[in-house]
């Protein structure tokens, strides 16, 4: 196999961190911590070996130059000092470049062997496909986030009771920002259209009730966080309602989105979902832009009520 020169790897190649979801964030954090501890341990070991070599060299001076102990200690000192110094220099200066080179070779091999369809999915930011939306897993992923933005766009959040604890923890303990867009309960035409697409299995009145219940729950969350004196609460927990065309449910967190569909005779969270990620990838940028547009046009909900 011939390795061709990659074009502008350093400037155009997207960092793998752009694919971070909650699980990969925690794995990356743990991996970096482990690598840092191992590197410090290796550097200390090399330093100790070098110092032992210096000590051997020092004690050899107590023996005549023709003495066996002198020769043995000098030999040991030379070996230990050479090993320690070279290993220290490699670990401190060269190891990072060595691993980076290996990573680029691996990426080159991957590009050469991946089918074109998989390359297209990767290049456009498609990460995974799910049979349905698992809100419990989503809640568990949120718990692992720190200093991230959580964005949800839906008619209403089904199973919201599974999210309340995670959202409170994300805002109060993990310094996350939560932005929620729900359908305006007064958007009668949109609600009626969605109800008909479900064969009225969920009536318009039930839709309104579920949306209002969501809003009530978020007000309760806000109330509890306020009692805990959470900082910048008005910015960190926001809910808005929109009455524009309903496109797709979005569950965004940590530079990724789980995206569903409003299909006929199917609940959005019970149908297939795709996961997209990578802040420079086309799919992620499109859904992120859609959320941001809806957010600007949506009406803020006052959560700070008695």
């Amino acid at each position: 196999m011939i390795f061709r020169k990659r074009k502008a790897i350093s400037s155009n190649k997207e960092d793998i961190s752009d694919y971070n979801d909650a699980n990969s964030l925690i794995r990356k954090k743990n991996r970096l911590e482990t690598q840092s501890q191992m590197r410090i341990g290796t550097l200390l070991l090399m330093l100790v070996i070098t110092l032992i070599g210096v000590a051997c060299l020092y004690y050899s001076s107590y023996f005549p130059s023709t003495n066996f102990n002198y020769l043995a200690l000098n030999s040991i000192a030379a070996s230990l000092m050479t090993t320690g110094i070279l290993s220290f220099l490699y670990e401190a200066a060269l190891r990072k470049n060595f691993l980076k080179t290996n990573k680029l070779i691996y990426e080159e091999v991957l590009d050469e062997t991946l089918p074109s369809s998989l390359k297209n999915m990767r290049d456009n930011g498609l990460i995974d496909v799910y049979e349905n939306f698992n809100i419990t897993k989503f809640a568990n992923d949120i718990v692992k986030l720190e200093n991230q933005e959580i964005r949800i766009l839906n008619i209403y959040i089904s199973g919201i009771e599974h999210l309340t604890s995670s959202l409170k923890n994300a805002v109060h303990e993990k310094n996350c920002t939560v932005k929620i867009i729900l359908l305006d309960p007064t958007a009668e035409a949109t609600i009626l259209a969605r109800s008909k697409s479900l064969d009225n299995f969920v009536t318009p009145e039930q839709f309104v009730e579920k949306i209002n219940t969501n809003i009530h729950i978020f007000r309760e969350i806000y109330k509890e966080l306020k009692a805990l004196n959470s900082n910048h609460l008005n910015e960190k927990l926001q809910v808005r309602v929109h009455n524009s065309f309903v496109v797709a449910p979005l569950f965004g967190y940590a530079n990724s989105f789980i995206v569903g569909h409003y299909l006929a005779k199917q609940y959005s969270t019970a149908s297939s979902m795709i996961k997209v990620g990578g802040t420079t990838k086309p799919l992620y940028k499109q859904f992120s832009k859609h959320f941001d547009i809806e957010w600007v046009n949506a009406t803020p909900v006052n959560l700070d009520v008695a």
Side-chain angles (χ1 to χ4, degrees):
M1 181 180 294
I2 299 174
F3 295 105
R4 297 190 305 269
K5 184 178 180 181
R6 296 178 65 87
K7 296 181 180 179
I9 289 175
S10 61
S11 59
N12 294 333
K13 182 69 177 178
E14 181 184 10
D15 191 273
I16 193 67
S17 62
D18 279 344
Y19 290 99
N20 283 339
D21 58 14
N23 289 320
S24 61
L25 278 173
I26 198 71
R27 287 196 300 269
K28 180 181 179 183
K29 179 181 178 182
N30 291 338
R31 184 173 66 253
L32 290 175
E33 289 177 351
T34 301
Q35 290 175 349
S36 177
Q37 292 171 0
M38 290 180 62
R39 190 172 186 223
I40 292 173
T42 302
L43 289 172
L44 288 175
L45 177 61
M46 294 305 103
L47 181 61
V48 169
I49 290 175
T50 303
L51 290 176
I52 293 175
V54 172
C56 289
L57 185 64
Y58 172 76
Y59 283 112
S60 70
S61 63
Y62 286 93
F63 300 97
S65 60
T66 57
N67 187 277
F68 173 79
N69 290 333
Y70 174 86
L71 297 174
L73 287 172
N74 263 270
S75 178
I76 293 172
S79 298
L80 292 178
M81 291 175 64
T82 301
T83 300
I85 292 172
L86 290 179
S87 299
F88 186 89
L89 291 174
Y90 166 77
E91 188 66 30
L94 301 177
R95 184 172 181 270
K96 186 175 181 180
N97 288 333
F98 174 76
L99 294 176
K100 183 178 180 181
T101 301
N102 280 343
K103 179 182 176 183
L104 294 179
I105 293 174
Y106 169 78
E107 290 172 348
E108 185 71 29
V109 172
L110 191 63
D111 276 347
E112 292 285 343
T113 56
L114 269 181
S116 59
S117 58
L118 293 181
K119 288 182 182 179
N120 290 336
M121 288 188 283
R122 181 199 61 186
D123 293 342
N124 281 280
L126 180 61
I127 297 176
D128 208 343
V129 180
Y130 307 120
E131 185 177 353
N132 51 45
F133 180 66
N134 188 334
I135 195 167
T136 302
K137 182 180 182 303
F138 183 72
N140 292 335
D141 287 345
I142 288 176
V143 172
K144 302 170 188 175
L145 298 175
E146 290 185 29
N147 304 310
Q148 298 290 325
E149 189 173 69
I150 301 165
R151 296 184 287 176
I152 299 177
L153 168 61
N154 210 343
I155 294 177
Y156 67 91
I157 303 173
S158 179
I160 189 174
E161 63 275 6
H162 298 292
L163 282 181
T164 53
S165 178
S166 298
L167 291 175
K168 283 187 287 188
N169 179 267
V171 172
H172 185 64
E173 300 290 342
K174 302 297 184 68
N175 194 38
C176 291
T177 299
V178 177
K179 294 181 177 180
I180 309 293
I181 305 176
L182 305 173
L183 185 63
D184 192 325
T186 64
E188 296 180 0
T190 303
I191 291 174
L192 180 61
R194 182 54 181 158
S195 180
K196 285 183 177 180
S197 75
L198 293 172
D199 280 348
N200 291 312
F201 189 77
V202 180
T203 66
E205 293 76 18
Q206 288 173 323
F207 267 116
V208 172
E209 180 183 357
K210 291 177 183 294
I211 295 169
N212 284 328
T213 298
N214 272 200
I215 293 173
H216 172 74
I217 290 174
F218 279 113
R219 282 173 172 160
E220 290 298 311
I221 293 174
Y222 186 96
K223 182 179 179 181
E224 292 179 30
L225 290 173
K226 186 177 180 180
L228 294 172
N229 296 317
S230 288
N231 297 324
H232 310 292
L233 189 53
N234 289 331
E235 300 174 4
K236 292 170 66 176
L237 176 60
Q238 299 182 65
V239 176
R240 297 186 180 187
V241 293
H242 75 107
N243 55 13
S244 59
F245 179 71
V246 177
V247 178
L250 302 177
F251 296 86
Y253 63 106
N255 297 335
S256 64
F257 274 106
I258 297 176
V259 185
H261 317 275
Y262 291 117
L263 303 177
K265 299 182 181 180
Q266 295 184 58
Y267 288 118
S268 62
T269 52
S271 57
S272 297
M273 313 280 286
I274 64 171
K275 184 174 184 179
V276 302
T279 54
T280 65
K281 300 298 183 181
L283 284 172
Y284 176 86
K285 290 199 294 186
Q286 289 171 21
F287 290 118
S288 182
K289 180 180 178 181
H290 174 69
F291 183 94
D292 291 341
I293 291 173
E294 293 289 358
W295 181 257
V296 171
N297 294 329
T299 304
V301 173
N302 181 18
L303 298 179
D304 191 10
V305 295

